[in-house]
Amino acid sequence: MTTNSAFDVVVIGGGLIGCATAYYLAKGGATVLMVEKGELNRQASGRNAGSLHFQLEHRLIDHANGALEQFARIMPLNLAAINDWANLESELGTDLEVTMDGGLMLAETADEVALLERKCSLEKRWGLSTQLLYGSEVQKKAPYLCDEIQAAAFCAQEGHANPRLVTIALAESAVRHGARILTHSRVGVLERTGREWRACIVRDAAAGRDEETHDVTGGTVVNAAGAWAGVVAENAGLHCPIRAVPLLMNATERREPFIPHLIQHVSRPLSVKQVRDGNILIGGGWPAHFEQRHGRPDLESRARIDDQSILENLQVAQRMVPGLASFHLLRCWTGIVGVTADELPVLGEVAEVPGFVTAVGSSGFTLGPTYGRLISELILTGRTSIDIDPYSPARFTRTNPIKGAH
Amino acid sequence: MILAFRVEKVVEQRRTVTIHVNGRPLAAFEGETIAAAMLASGLRIFSYDRDGHPRGAFCNMGVCYECLVEVSGPRGSDKRRVRACQTQVEADLSVRMLGTATARP
Amino acid sequence: MKGAPAQTDVLIIGAGPASLAAASAVLGHNLSITIVDEQLRPGGQFLRQPPRCMQAHNWLDGRLYRPAKRLLQTIEDHPDIDWRFGTTVSALFPDPQPPGIGAAGHSVWLTGAAGMERLRARTVLLASGCYERPLMFPGWTLPGVMGAGAIQTLLKSQQVVSGDRILLVGSHPLQLIVADQILKAGGKVAGVVFSQPALAGGSILQHPGVLFSHFLQFTEIARVFFRLRRAGVRVIFGSAITEAKGTGGVLAATIAPIDSMGGVSGTGTTEFECDAVGLCYGFLVSSELARQVGAEALWSENRGGWLVQHDEWMESTVPGLFVAGEVTGMAGADAAIVEGVIAGMGILRSLGNLDTQQAELGASDHRRQREKNERFARCLADLASPPHALWTGLMAPETIVCRCETVTRQELDDALSVHTHIQTADALKLLTRIGMGLCQGRLCHSTAAQVLSVTRKTSIENVGSFHAAVPARPVPINKLTNT
Ligand SMILES: Cc1cc2nc3c(=O)[nH]c(=O)nc-3n(C[C@H](O)[C@H](O)[C@H](O)COP(=O)(O)OP(=O)(O)OC[C@H]3O[C@@H](n4cnc5c(N)ncnc54)[C@H](O)[C@@H]3O)c2cc1C
Ligand code: FES
């Protein structure tokens, strides 16, 4: 079916990370095929909250204690992402509703204030200046917040962009630079033959034709399959310890703008923001449930909503932003994100398996454009402008990169 | 043009209540919905859309939300957004239409 | 938040004819029954009642209403039913630990004036009816353009005539009944415009069985038709509305003849002076709650969109979730009553109150009647639908498809031509915001799907529906948090 079936790079996954990688690679002159099993931007990248968080997030700092230092190793990526986001709209020449008017992380109790202070001093050491606001200073910055907030960490560059638009814009720019995109096509078995990877692609049946299978080859494959990255690695006979986690999002009706910032909480899962259209998005990482299939979590169907998660998420949001009380809740949905045990992303390749590059994990909306840029640097030049060693897949596979090769 | 009207002859004596729509008093009957009271007083416009064009009640059964208005009790208390077609009038209810017109007709 | 959620054996969503019939069937078996409806009194849309303080003397005195009215009179205020009026079922969830044994369970969010309450139910009957399917044409968002059903319910339950001169346009014979009711209430009907050619009504003669079994319906419609004629109302066939004109509201509307392709060429238009337009092109069923929990639904253009599939006991593919009335396919009030009884028997059987044989005994007469109703409904659905091409053929580029988010036809066409990867309704929604507003896509979902299927030359099944998300209706946050 394809006129050409040999590419410099085959990118697996049509989410933000896959599209960003394909874009930077194509722009750099590589021949790229991106393969997506469903439609573009229909998984985590099109279902997330769109927060650009550069402060250390709640999930990293809460209960972290001694591990806080370990989690803080994400900071170089966060700092790079600030620049990438500031330039992304002009880079792609399109409106992505990028807003960087600042983000506030809130603390209600003395313990939380202490945690916030510890976090801020750590961030300072890594080079991110977050400003601590106390009592009435918080009110002055954000009068729509409740009175009980004792302190807040303000990061001037934080904000949000619209997940509806970003991935699609990257995909289209990639195509403009010559990348090819196949949707409704799943990458199955991956085999290394000589210096190339051979990928078996199964295209869904559609009106008037049956399921089709064909092979393509790539000098490099990029595993940008998000929550499915573990499955893709397995198809290559490799091990990538990505856990799929289903999360909840909520959106309200549209109203006049009144929340210019990204709002987070230091010890509760919470993100609140108002998008350009006026809807408020409320999330922060409340759990959903996988449907079960043959006794196993089913990654192929939408995760089921947990009603208790909705209620608790809304409670925290309304307590922080009392003005939300009368807003109509319009829509709840779930998305599936891929996470690692140490909360850091998996970026790069291992020496034993050349040409198999992974890009997955952590806050992949915020960091996705940066991952894409760094991975393209790695593939095109063999070097990256930021040291990605701390995120190497080798940290999981140092002893056993190849599955079954004990 | 008289627009919508009440079928007075079939309805028994009813108590009247006064509500306020955009600050103007409007006579209504007990048991009427806000939408019915507005329509029967010649008010067809319930809101203005994102482009500033007028909108009116479409389904009268709570589905389309085209009749969404902001209501409040005495002195602005209990402010909330409700569907005018699903909400009965009460004495002293204030109704505010949502959105703004680009060019008022 | 309150303590442990309350429980009920049978939760019935909607209080229209299907619901009331099911409740009567289930009563007397020592089961707790809860009926929930957004309206303040039972009856549904068909028997939409005025508030108690507004008793109208001649409320729905037509012959067509008699069987359903009898049912309503016997059951309204029944003390063994827990009636929840002014209450919305905002969401339906599978309940992993159903109370009692023998049936799968669900839990729901009930939201009303007092806030939100969770209720666990051993069985649920979804009898949530339908709403008008809008036809989109230039000017259809002007105030004064309404569903014919809106004009009718304003009359039935509020004794308000929606305009001084009302034009009815559509394909469904209901518009004749509405016109008749407007005249009786002292209003003026500018005209009744059917999309079908005049002879279409005659093709019913090809189905003599249907004509015979539903004789009352046909004679009543014929009677109304001649009454309108006598009153000097223009009844026009073979035309469709092409534009509603006005600035602050509709002041005039044009119609034009439909050509052999089912489109409108725009020549030979007629203009009507009118201050209200009632659209009567058919209905969409309210199957969102069933689809929310994954019940199988199949598309039917002429019977109401995504119809919930069910077995011979009216149980959907989700165990413990039953369906009756329009959600299974548009068929009218009498058919809804029959389905309600069968669903009632199905519920008694699934809860172990009746064995299969006993339930069959209670259902068998109704099953026979249901077959006749189905024949009638299928026949009526085809007769009463506009030509397929009309649904997407009347819009101008700047015509709004999604009222809530003001998404125009042009924006959809642009998105589809630029973003060639878009194949599904949900992907179109994510990119353009169509269906993201307060009506949650109820008004635009079928048109969006049709535009997509026409553009991509694929079926509505491939395009799919907008995902039926929680909540089923927008709900204020402070209701959910009970603050
Ligand atoms: C509810 C929610 C809220 C979030 N909020 C934020 C936030 O506010 N800020 C933030 O920074 N991050 C957030 N995230 C995380 C962020 O969304 C993800 O980290 C990011 O989108 C990951 O991008 P991705 O491209 O790896 O994943 P995805 O978008 O999931 O893309 C992976 C793609 O790979 C495809 N695929 C899988 N297997 C195959 C195969 N074998 N062949 C072909 N294709 C395949 C999948 O279909 C999918 O489209 C959130 C996540 C969720 C779920
Ligand atoms: S008119 Fe449609 S919701 Fe009120």
Side-chain angles (χ1 to χ4, degrees), chain A residues 239-295:
Chain A
H239 178 60
C240 180
I242 289 292
R243 194 160 52 90
V245 175
L247 299 174
L248 167 76
M249 278 303 305
N250 310 279
T252 72
E253 67 183 301
R254 274 189 288 116
R255 290 207 195 166
E256 307 69 30
F258 83 114
I259 304 179
H261 307 116
L262 167 68
I263 299 300
Q264 299 180 79
H265 196 287
V266 68
S267 65
R268 311 278 338 249
L270 179 71
S271 74
V272 177
K273 72 186 63 66
Q274 187 165 24
V275 299
R276 168 111 45 95
D277 282 290
N279 309 79
I280 314 277
L281 300 189
I282 302 171
W286 289 85
H289 302 292
F290 282 121
E291 298 289 352
Q292 297 294 314
R293 194 172 182 167
H294 309 310

Side-chain angles (χ1 to χ4, degrees), chain A residues 47-357:
Chain A
R47 293 168 186 238
N48 65 61
S51 311
L52 302 180
H53 21 64
F54 306 121
Q55 309 188 43
L56 291 169
E57 290 168 66
H58 142 77
R59 69 189 162 82
L60 301 178
I61 50 187
D62 194 30
H63 316 299
N65 301 324
L68 193 55
E69 296 277 345
Q70 147 83 14
F71 291 141
R73 296 200 302 184
I74 194 78
M75 285 315 289
L77 290 173
N78 287 9
L79 293 170
I82 292 177
N83 268 322
D84 285 328
W85 278 103
N87 298 325
L88 196 60
E89 288 181 318
S90 58
E91 167 87 28
L92 302 181
T94 183
D95 181 3
L96 305 171
E97 298 184 12
V98 177
T99 306
M100 295 172 84
D101 292 335
L104 289 150
M105 186 173 286
L106 312 179
E108 294 176 276
T109 66
D111 284 350
E112 288 172 356
V113 176
L115 184 58
L116 211 55
E117 287 166 344
R118 227 171 39 245
K119 178 190 88 92
C120 284
S121 65
L122 186 62
E123 285 163 353
K124 208 149 280 161
R125 266 196 280 138
W126 283 93
L128 179 76
S129 54
T130 30
Q131 184 192 353
L132 270 168
L133 307 173
Y134 294 92
S136 63
E137 292 171 334
V138 181
Q139 278 300 312
K140 212 148 91 212
K141 176 75 80 194
Y144 53 87
L145 291 173
C146 80
D147 301 332
E148 280 85 64
I149 289 159
Q150 293 204 14
F154 179 70
C155 171
Q157 296 88 353
E158 280 190 330
H160 45 91
N162 202 325
R164 297 197 298 109
L165 310 173
V166 178
T167 303
I168 297 296
L170 283 162
E172 259 139 34
S173 302
V175 169
R176 250 188 315 243
H177 282 99
R180 287 207 48 201
I181 295 179
L182 281 181
T183 58
H184 298 281
S185 301
R186 176 190 303 268
V187 174
V189 174
L190 285 156
E191 271 173 342
R192 196 172 160 76
T193 52
R195 312 173 110 261
E196 288 190 322
W197 285 87
R198 175 170 294 281
C200 168
I201 297 178
V202 185
R203 187 152 168 242
D204 286 354
R209 81 176 148 70
D210 294 334
E211 190 178 274
E212 286 170 1
T213 304
H214 63 105
D215 284 355
V216 297
T217 56
T220 307
V221 291
V222 177
N223 179 2
W228 296 263
V231 183
V232 168
E234 214 166 296
N235 282 338
L238 302 170
H239 178 60
C240 180
I242 289 292
R243 194 160 52 90
V245 175
L247 299 174
L248 167 76
M249 278 303 305
N250 310 279
T252 72
E253 67 183 301
R254 274 189 288 116
R255 290 207 195 166
E256 307 69 30
F258 83 114
I259 304 179
H261 307 116
L262 167 68
I263 299 300
Q264 299 180 79
H265 196 287
V266 68
S267 65
R268 311 278 338 249
L270 179 71
S271 74
V272 177
K273 72 186 63 66
Q274 187 165 24
V275 299
R276 168 111 45 95
D277 282 290
N279 309 79
I280 314 277
L281 300 189
I282 302 171
W286 289 85
H289 302 292
F290 282 121
E291 298 289 352
Q292 297 294 314
R293 194 172 182 167
H294 309 310
R296 295 241 236 114
D298 179 8
L299 293 192
E300 297 310 315
S301 49
R302 274 175 194 259
R304 186 155 38 81
I305 297 248
D306 177 316
D307 60 335
Q308 197 58 35
S309 277
I310 301 176
L311 299 178
E312 290 184 32
N313 199 350
L314 296 180
Q315 258 156 10
V316 192
Q318 190 194 324
R319 199 171 75 232
M320 296 301 103
V321 185
L324 289 179
S326 69
F327 273 70
H328 283 93
L329 174 69
L330 205 51
R331 188 163 55 247
C332 306
W333 68 89
T334 57
I336 306 175
V337 67
V339 302
T340 54
D342 61 6
E343 300 281 356
L344 294 175
V346 184
L347 292 180
E349 61 189 336
V350 288
E352 298 87 333
V353 192
F356 189 90
V357 178

Side-chain angles (χ1 to χ4, degrees), chain C residues 155-175:
Chain C
L155 248 178
K156 282 184 198 175
S157 72
Q158 292 285 307
Q159 298 295 330
V160 167
V161 181
S162 308
D164 179 36
R165 279 177 68 77
I166 303 176
L167 177 69
L168 289 157
V169 291
S171 55
H172 199 283
L174 175 70
Q175 59 178 350

